[in-house]
Amino acid sequence: MTLIARGWRSLACWWQDAFFQEAPTTPLEVVRIGIGIALLLGYGLASTNLFELHGMEGLVTQESARIWSNGRWSWSLLFLFTADWQVAVFQVVFLLACAAFTLGWQTRWAKWIVLVGHLSFVYRNPVAQYGVDSIFASTLFLLCLAPVGDSLSLDARRRPVGDADTLGTRERRRRAWGFACLRLIQLQVAVMFFFSGVEKVRGDAWWHGYAVWMALTNQEFSNVPIGWLASHFWIVNLLTQGTMFFEVAYPFLIWGRATRPFFLVGAILLHLGMAVMMGLYLFSFVMIVVHLSFLRPEWLTAWAWRRAVVPPQQEPEPLRPPAAAPPRPRSEIPSTSSRTRS
Amino acid sequence: MIRNRAAPAASALGRGGLLVASLFVVWHAFALVVAPFPPSYLSGSVHAAIFPYLSVLYLDTDWNFFAPTPAPGRFVRYVIQARDGSSHAFRLTEDRRPGPSAMRLRKVYDGIHQDRPEHYASVGRFLCRRHAGLEPVTVTFSVHRQIPITPEAYVAGRRPLDADLVEMETLPPVSCPEPPPSRSG
């Protein structure tokens, strides 16, 4: 019985360490800013095609959009509109919310407007969506649940976060929950790479090392001269099989303390390569942003603004197997002075 | 470096809060993993249970970027048949300059397919309005698919869009709406 109790307590301790650390969630804020910039760029610069993509008499009618959704619970505020000027107003409000979300101004409201706006655009024209929209949706949802805006934000300037010794219960709760959301974003990235890698292993083109050639000879993605690759096909083999094995290994080795820096740099280089060679700029940028969720706060402390945003004494623990030690009794936790929030 | 381990979060979230938060974490993590799972009897049953959650949040994604095989290139052209009997050919995808909307528009045009009559009819009617000055009667799409080119052929001087490396399919014409009476009168 004691053994079961100890095992249970060890598991509980591991669970809390893995998902509910009261650690700085600065990487969450980095992801917020990155996703905000990507949304602003993606939707803002596409405003010239707003009515073509989402207008009343655009490429895809509302009926066609509903048929395309094919059983998905498709909802969109844009379905309620009857004139193009309403779509334009919606776009302006959405872009303002994206800007507020990026800057961290009234973040607690802006993030929900951004999520609802993005999903409304997605479901209004499901034909026009691709991978980047799925990444936006999955990351935005978790950012909405998370207490973002606590640092690297205009909100934080108005009510600066104190150091570890002065954290109140509310702040500690926000950190624990924020860390859980950060972990889920990281898990999302790992799952994404796992299935992407495994699907590649299934294909002959990846297994035999010529998939990159197929992608680069596709006129839709051809962004660089490829004559040199045709002459030195071993480079194509290397890029193809390297990508496949990297994606399969990533979800396992990104969690390790020693391996994380290499896999993080590798993932960023992979997506920079895709941006240059295939012209997938927005997709690559968004992928790099979600990979940055794996940044460790102690790496961020090396930056110039570290003292303002990351209390140096509180760093997250890496994921590790259940420890033998029981969880720390509540009575051992040093009392903290409560801090009023404006 | 001496690490200061975080205190157990139960102290901040409370037992009830930790339980609720843990249940959500388990649920969402489960949904993330099950969503892209390949079809099977088991995954189909589980997927059906979480589908509403995935669907409403647009989380139902399979994450198979360029896999298992990168699709060959595909581009779309169309011909406007005008009221005066003349025809006008246009390129839909090839002439688009890269831009933030290029990928989205490309996806819309990629959806033009024999099996999606409601979609290509919708795009067709849009093109009727765009080319209203030509007084269009019909729009006829042609879908062009690339045949993979080998590196040896490329070195020998062949190129991916050479005529013999592209196969074409013509879709049934889409009728344009009649112009308003005020214009025809």
Side-chain angles (χ1 to χ4, degrees):
Chain A
M1 192 64 187
T2 310
L3 193 64
I4 294 173
R6 285 181 62 185
W8 173 253
R9 292 182 72 181
S10 296
L11 186 65
C13 187
W14 172 81
W15 177 254
Q16 284 181 227
D17 271 353
F19 284 99
F20 296 101
Q21 289 179 37
E22 292 171 26
T25 50
T26 322
L28 205 57
E29 306 293 349
V30 173
V31 173
R32 169 182 59 80
I33 293 168
I35 292 289
I37 291 170
L39 284 163
L40 269 174
L41 287 174
Y43 280 101
L45 296 176
S47 294
T48 48
N49 299 103
L50 179 66
F51 300 132
E52 201 172 349
L53 287 167
H54 304 290
M56 295 299 113
E57 295 191 329
L59 282 160
V60 180
T61 60
Q62 294 193 4
E63 301 81 57
S64 182
R66 287 199 169 97
I67 292 170
W68 192 275
S69 289
N70 192 27
R72 269 188 160 173
W73 197 78
S74 94
W75 62 276
S76 171
L77 293 178
L78 293 163
F79 286 148
L80 305 174
F81 298 160
T82 54
D84 279 347
W85 68 266
Q86 296 165 337
V87 178
V89 170
F90 186 83
Q91 167 87 341
V92 170
V93 172
F94 174 70
L95 290 177
L96 289 174
C98 288
F101 177 71
T102 308
L103 296 171
W105 182 72
Q106 298 293 336
T107 321
R108 68 174 62 180
W109 303 109
K111 61 187 181 183
W112 289 104
I113 298 172
V114 172
L115 176 66
V116 170
H118 174 64
L119 291 177
S120 290
F121 280 123
V122 162
Y123 280 115
R124 170 59 186 87
N125 192 347
V127 194
Q129 311 312 317
Y130 62 111
V132 78
D133 295 295
S134 299
I135 301 167
F136 276 148
S138 57
T139 311
L140 270 174
F141 175 58
L142 291 168
L143 289 174
C144 281
L145 297 181
V148 289
D150 281 356
S151 64
L152 304 179
S153 67
L154 293 178
D155 289 342
R157 278 183 170 271
R158 289 189 295 130
R159 47 169 174 73
V161 176
D163 59 30
D165 294 333
T166 61
L167 286 179
T169 305
R170 181 183 162 85
E171 280 69 32
R172 291 174 56 211
R173 194 184 303 136
R174 287 170 69 83
R175 281 188 170 197
W177 176 235
F179 192 80
C181 294
L182 179 64
R183 275 284 193 244
L184 285 173
I185 291 175
Q186 293 172 340
L187 186 67
Q188 171 76 78
V189 180
V191 166
M192 199 187 303
F193 255 49
F194 176 78
F195 280 98
S196 180
V198 168
E199 281 288 316
K200 286 179 173 63
V201 172
R202 288 178 57 227
D204 279 350
W206 288 96
W207 190 250
H208 294 293
Y210 57 89
V212 167
W213 174 256
M214 288 184 73
L216 293 178
T217 52
N218 181 331
Q219 60 92 22
E220 297 173 43
F221 299 112
S222 180
N223 202 45
V224 291
I226 53 172
W228 60 283
L229 285 173
S231 308
H232 303 87
F233 207 69
W234 62 271
I235 300 175
V236 173
N237 295 154
L238 192 68
L239 291 173
T240 302
Q241 290 169 326
T243 300
M244 179 180 66
F245 287 118
F246 181 82
E247 288 192 0
V248 171
Y250 181 96
F252 302 100
L253 297 177
I254 192 64
W255 306 103
R257 178 162 286 274
T259 49
R260 183 178 293 190
F262 299 104
F263 274 81
L264 199 48
V265 170
I268 291 169
L269 291 176
L270 173 70
H271 290 293
L272 285 176
M274 286 177 70
V276 172
M277 298 187 80
M278 302 175 72
L280 293 170
Y281 302 112
L282 185 64
F283 174 78
S284 302
F285 179 75
V286 172
M287 284 302 295
I288 288 171
V289 166
V290 292
H291 282 297
L292 294 183
S293 66
F294 282 101
L295 282 175
R296 292 204 186 101
E298 64 261 35
W299 296 344
L300 296 172
T301 56
W303 293 18
W305 36 262
R306 65 188 176 108
R307 291 180 195 283
V309 296
V310 184
Q313 293 303 310
Q314 294 222 344
E315 296 163 353
E317 295 285 327
L319 273 176
R320 56 176 181 271
R328 206 163 146 197
R330 296 182 68 175
S331 58
E332 285 184 27
I333 299 167
S335 61
T336 55
S337 59
S338 60
R339 189 172 63 82
T340 54
R341 294 165 65 88
S342 57
Chain B
M1 183 167 60
I2 298 172
R3 296 183 61 82
N4 179 17
R5 276 187 60 181
S11 58
L13 292 173
R15 279 181 183 274
L18 184 63
L19 179 65
V20 172
S22 296
L23 285 174
F24 172 76
V25 166
V26 169
W27 163 257
H28 190 77
F30 178 72
L32 291 183
V33 173
V34 170
F37 234 78
S40 69
Y41 181 78
L42 177 63
S43 68
S45 310
V46 176
H47 196 268
I50 61 169
F51 182 70
Y53 178 74
L54 297 173
S55 181
V56 72
L57 294 167
Y58 203 70
L59 302 175
D60 191 19
T61 307
D62 47 17
W63 306 121
N64 54 354
F65 306 123
F66 297 99
T69 303
R74 186 177 186 278
F75 50 97
V76 180
R77 296 175 182 171
Y78 62 99
V79 174
I80 296 269
Q81 190 71 41
R83 191 166 299 281
D84 62 4
S86 61
S87 57
H88 309 265
F90 297 91
R91 296 177 170 201
L92 201 49
T93 43
E94 298 144 274
D95 292 342
R96 283 220 171 255
R97 294 176 62 190
S101 301
M103 191 68 181
R104 294 192 190 287
L105 292 168
R106 197 182 290 156
K107 294 292 287 185
V108 172
Y109 303 137
D110 271 352
I112 293 173
H113 193 274
Q114 185 91 35
D115 299 338
R116 291 281 191 178
E118 84 288 343
H119 177 62
Y120 73 74
S122 177
V123 177
R125 285 191 293 270
F126 173 84
L127 295 172
C128 291
R129 290 191 291 273
R130 174 183 276 178
H131 297 289
L134 296 175
E135 297 191 5
V137 178
T138 60
V139 175
T140 306
F141 291 106
S142 59
V143 177
H144 304 250
R145 294 186 186 84
Q146 285 182 246
I147 297 167
I149 181 174
T150 61
E152 293 80 10
Y154 195 96
V155 171
R158 309 279 302 284
R159 289 298 175 262
L161 296 182
D162 285 354
D164 59 331
L165 289 174
V166 175
E167 47 188 29
M168 188 186 79
E169 176 191 14
T170 303
L171 303 186
V174 177
S175 298
C176 293
E178 286 290 320
S182 58
R183 293 185 62 186
S184 59

